[in-house]
């Protein structure tokens, strides 16, 4: 009898569990997967993860599942994220590519068949069409669009008004000329009296051949590139290279008083190292540098450092002025480089409309950007908004600079500047990495090394051109462009 009762009780218990299981609500939401390099750790719940949560609250019929990048232990025993290429190669090998993902190289995503053509959705989207044409079409090839702009950053010079004012130098502003900027850098610099108390004037002279040629010849873009290829044989490149050579060749010692890149050689500086002058670490972050060349994405960290008593930038007044103007004939030319981050929809996704909606939310879209500003305002610990609005929307610009009222020069650029050159060629120009860095100039030198040798005065530009410098850069471009064209025709 007890055995029968036990069986009866067990059966009832099993039925109850089954009923509970059947009554459990099913998740009927559309699921899209997402992969990105800026998500941080889950427990940090940074602004990007909060944006994902906010999207699901706004669109309750869609669930976003993050594909976490594996953590690995490096040779020093430190845990870090696996590389983006390792991560993506692994996901491709197991057939689990994300529906939406950040794109490090758009060309690679196309050639590997990772990115979907989203031109139909984008061309029907008025917000997308409000983006300036050169920006919105940068990831377009023929009539196909393979990525959306997720963020746009500006390249140029940050200034530390606090330091410059203490040195009784003029405060540089947006639109300052290149010559004037270098004069201010010299005025603001201070030689060290004792260890670590120096002030650096400026750095960034190693990047002149990137943006300066495009000021002298407006048919050129970053690093002399335009749709016909590279133009190292142009007068504009020769002028820019001659300016850069001043700081690295035989005349280098004339600038060691204020140009940071000239101070790394103790043989030239009487045995004084950079650390002797300023201390250990990033000199601008130490609060020991007047002007530095960097991307506006640094605003996220550097603004927070001005509020942190433990940081060298504490209570310092910093701003961003872009690249300076250059006198060309009787005209001032001021073209500012920009870097684009991209987000793509995975090829073959079953939920393309939802994927596009989410990609837009995480990037240029007005609705998503408004939420991003709201999160930054109410949860500052989650991180600052480190990119200005991409779409033409005055309300968003107003709200952005309400959060960062000290960035008066940067605001002028965002509101008024309309002459840009795209710096992030490695993402959208075929073969750029080889044309600029890794391709062979000779058996002994790659392209990057050859350009450094020209910069340092060890090879003349004329001899390098005669040896095929420009031809080699364009050959690398042509090879990959042919592969891309063939892929687009499939």
């Amino acid at each position: 009898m007890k055995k029968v009762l036990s069986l009866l009780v067990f059966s009832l218990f099993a039925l109850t569990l089954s009923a509970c299981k059947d009554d459990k609500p099913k998740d009927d939401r559309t699921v899209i997967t997402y992969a990105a390099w800026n998500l941080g750790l889950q427990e940090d719940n940074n602004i990007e993860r909060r944006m994902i949560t906010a999207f699901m609250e706004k669109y309750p019929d869609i669930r976003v599942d993050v594909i976490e990048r594996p953590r690995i232990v490096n040779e020093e025993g430190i845990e870090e994220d696996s590389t983006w290429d390792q991560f993506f190669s692994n996901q491709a090998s197991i057939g689990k590519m994300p529906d939406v993902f950040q794109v490090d190289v758009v060309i690679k995503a196309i050639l590997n068949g990772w990115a979907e053509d989203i031109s139909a959705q984008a061309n029907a989207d008025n917000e997308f069409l409000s983006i300036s044409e050169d920006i919105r079409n940068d990831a377009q090839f023929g009539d196909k669009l393979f990525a959306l702009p997720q963020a746009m950053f500006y390249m140029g010079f940050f200034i530390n008004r606090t330091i410059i004012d203490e040195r009784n130098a003029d405060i540089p502003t947006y639109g300052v000329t290149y010559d004037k900027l270098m004069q201010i850098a010299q005025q603001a610099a201070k030689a060290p009296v004792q260890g670590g108390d120096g002030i650096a004037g400026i750095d960034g002279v190693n990047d002149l051949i990137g943006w300066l040629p495009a000021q002298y010849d407006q048919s050129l873009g970053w690093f002399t590139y335009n749709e016909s290829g590279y133009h190292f044989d142009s007068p504009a490149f020769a002028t820019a290279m001659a300016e850069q050579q001043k700081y690295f060749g035989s005349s280098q010692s004339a600038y060691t008083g204020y140009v940071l890149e000239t101070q790394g050689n103790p043989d030239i500086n009487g045995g004084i190292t950079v650390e002797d002058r300023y201390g250990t670490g990033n000199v601008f972050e130490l609060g020991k540098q007047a002007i530095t060349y960097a991307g506006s994405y640094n605003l996220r960290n550097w603004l927070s450092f001005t509020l942190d008593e433990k940081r060298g930038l504490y209570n310092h007044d910093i701003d961003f002025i872009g690249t300076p103007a250059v006198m060309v004939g009787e005209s001032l030319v001021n073209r500012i480089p920009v870097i684009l981050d991209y987000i793509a929809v995975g090829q073959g996704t079953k939920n393309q409309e939802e994927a596009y909606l989410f990609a837009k939310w995480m990037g240029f879209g007005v609705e998503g950007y408004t939420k991003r500003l709201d999160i930054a305002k109410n949860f500052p610990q989650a991180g600052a908004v480190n990119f200005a609005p991409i779409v033409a929307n005055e309300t968003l610009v107003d709200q952005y600079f309400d959060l960062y009222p000290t960035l008066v020069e940067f605001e002028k650029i965002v509101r008024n500047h309309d002459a840009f050159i795209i710096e992030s060629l490695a993402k959208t120009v075929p073969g750029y990495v080889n044309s600029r860095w890794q391709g062979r100039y000779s058996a002994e030198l790659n392209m990057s090394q050859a350009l450094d040798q020209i910069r340092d005065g060890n090879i003349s530009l004329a001899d390098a051109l005669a040896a095929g410098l420009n031809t080699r850069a364009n050959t690398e471009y042509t090879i990959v462009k042919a592969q891309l064209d063939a892929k687009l025709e499939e």
Side-chain angles (χ1 to χ4, degrees):
M1 182 66 179
K2 288 182 179 180
K3 185 176 181 181
V4 173
L5 285 173
S6 297
L7 287 170
L8 181 60
V9 169
F10 178 80
S11 298
L12 289 171
F13 179 68
L15 286 170
T16 301
L17 284 178
S18 178
C20 290
K21 185 177 181 180
D22 290 341
D23 288 343
K24 183 179 179 180
K26 293 183 178 179
D27 190 342
D28 294 325
R29 292 177 293 175
T30 299
V31 178
I32 54 177
T33 54
Y34 180 51
W37 57 69
N38 61 358
L39 299 176
L41 300 176
Q42 293 184 55
E43 55 267 30
D44 294 338
N45 197 22
N46 69 8
I47 194 169
E48 302 302 324
R49 290 192 183 265
R50 290 173 188 263
M51 283 290 292
I52 296 170
T53 300
F55 176 82
M56 291 189 286
E57 291 171 353
K58 177 71 176 179
Y59 298 98
D61 293 335
I62 304 174
R63 191 181 87 213
V64 179
D65 289 350
V66 171
I67 302 178
E68 301 288 353
R69 193 157 35 138
R71 305 281 289 176
I72 60 173
V73 178
N74 64 21
E75 294 178 354
E76 288 75 34
I78 300 172
E79 188 179 79
E80 60 185 10
D81 289 329
S82 60
T83 69
W84 196 244
D85 275 353
Q86 287 173 334
F87 169 63
F88 250 77
S89 297
N90 181 65
Q91 292 300 125
S93 69
I94 62 176
K96 292 186 177 181
M97 294 295 290
D99 295 308
V100 181
F101 58 97
Q102 281 188 304
V103 190
D104 60 343
V105 181
V106 177
I107 298 295
K108 179 173 62 181
I110 298 171
L111 292 176
N112 288 340
W114 293 343
E116 186 70 56
D117 172 21
I118 48 177
S119 55
Q121 290 92 339
N123 290 332
D125 183 351
N126 288 332
E127 287 182 25
F128 177 77
L129 296 176
S130 77
I131 301 171
S132 63
E133 185 176 4
D134 55 342
I135 301 302
R136 73 172 186 262
N137 291 341
D138 194 49
Q140 180 171 316
F141 300 88
D143 59 355
K144 296 180 179 181
L145 181 71
F146 290 95
L148 299 171
Q150 184 174 28
M152 186 173 82
F153 306 103
Y154 301 78
M155 290 299 297
F157 290 94
F158 279 84
I159 61 171
N160 186 321
R161 277 189 287 256
T162 303
I163 285 178
I164 297 170
D165 188 54
E166 288 174 351
R167 301 291 299 152
N168 295 315
D170 296 334
I171 305 294
T173 58
Y174 157 62
V176 65
T177 66
Y178 173 75
D179 290 340
K180 179 64 175 177
L181 186 68
M182 298 304 290
Q183 290 173 11
I184 294 172
Q186 188 171 13
Q187 293 167 359
K190 172 179 176 286
V193 177
Q194 56 188 8
D197 70 343
I199 297 295
I202 195 168
D203 69 358
V205 295
N206 194 36
D207 291 287
L208 293 177
I209 59 170
W211 62 270
L212 198 53
Q215 318 302 316
Y216 291 113
D217 183 346
Q218 295 182 61
S219 71
L220 304 178
W222 180 264
F223 198 56
T224 77
Y225 173 79
N226 61 24
E227 290 186 355
S228 64
Y230 298 92
H231 303 274
F232 304 149
D233 54 355
S234 65
F237 185 74
T239 301
M241 179 59 82
E243 178 62 27
Q244 187 161 306
Q245 286 173 331
K246 288 166 42 177
Y247 307 103
F248 294 90
S250 58
S251 60
Q252 180 184 32
S253 59
Y255 304 97
T256 56
Y258 65 100
V259 177
L260 186 62
E261 286 107 324
T262 68
Q263 298 171 352
N265 187 345
D267 294 334
I268 294 177
N269 295 302
I272 301 175
T273 67
V274 171
E275 288 74 18
D276 291 332
R277 290 172 180 262
Y278 313 111
T280 303
N282 180 290
V283 181
F284 189 78
E285 292 180 8
L286 291 171
K288 301 290 185 67
Q289 185 170 346
I291 306 165
T292 189
Y293 183 84
S296 63
Y297 43 80
N298 287 288
L299 284 167
R300 174 172 289 180
N301 287 335
W302 289 353
L303 285 174
S304 69
F305 292 173
T306 66
L307 305 174
D308 186 345
E309 295 181 2
K310 298 178 181 179
R311 297 283 186 172
L313 281 176
Y314 178 62
N315 269 344
H316 285 220
D317 182 11
I318 66 171
D319 208 338
F320 179 82
I321 63 171
T323 44
V326 175
M327 185 64 71
V328 181
E330 297 182 355
S331 302
L332 275 177
V333 179
N334 188 10
R335 301 175 69 198
I336 296 178
V338 294
I339 293 175
L340 295 172
D341 273 355
Y342 295 96
I343 190 167
V345 171
Q347 189 172 89
T349 178
K350 297 177 181 178
N351 304 299
Q352 189 165 339
E353 295 293 335
E354 292 85 354
Y356 179 90
L357 181 66
F358 176 65
K360 176 180 173 179
W361 171 275
M362 296 299 290
F364 70 87
V366 171
E367 190 176 55
Y369 194 86
T370 301
K371 174 54 69 173
R372 186 178 289 274
L373 293 173
D374 179 66
I375 293 170
K377 180 179 180 180
N378 293 297
F379 303 95
Q381 72 275 16
V385 179
N386 66 339
F387 65 97
I390 302 172
V391 297
N393 186 297
E394 285 296 315
T395 300
L396 290 187
V397 175
D398 290 343
Q399 292 174 346
Y400 178 78
F401 285 105
D402 283 346
L403 288 177
Y404 312 113
T406 63
L407 300 178
V408 294
E409 300 303 321
F410 185 41
E411 182 174 358
K412 294 175 187 176
I413 296 172
V414 173
R415 288 192 185 277
N416 304 316
H417 200 77
D418 60 1
F420 299 105
I421 51 176
I422 295 176
E423 186 268 8
S424 44
L425 300 188
K427 301 178 182 182
T428 56
V429 172
Y432 179 75
V433 170
N434 281 340
S435 296
R436 174 63 181 89
W437 294 296
Q438 296 178 4
R440 304 310 305 177
Y441 164 77
S442 66
E444 297 80 21
L445 302 173
N446 62 27
M447 292 294 288
S448 177
Q449 292 166 335
L451 288 163
D452 285 350
Q453 289 291 307
I454 298 168
R455 177 202 66 190
D456 295 345
N458 298 323
I459 301 175
S460 74
L461 177 58
D463 286 347
L465 290 171
L469 177 73
N470 201 58
T471 302
R472 285 171 170 76
N474 283 295
T475 297
E476 298 290 355
Y477 165 65
T478 303
I479 290 172
V480 183
K481 187 177 185 301
Q483 296 171 359
L484 179 66
D485 290 342
K487 182 68 176 181
L488 295 173
E489 290 175 2
E490 290 181 358

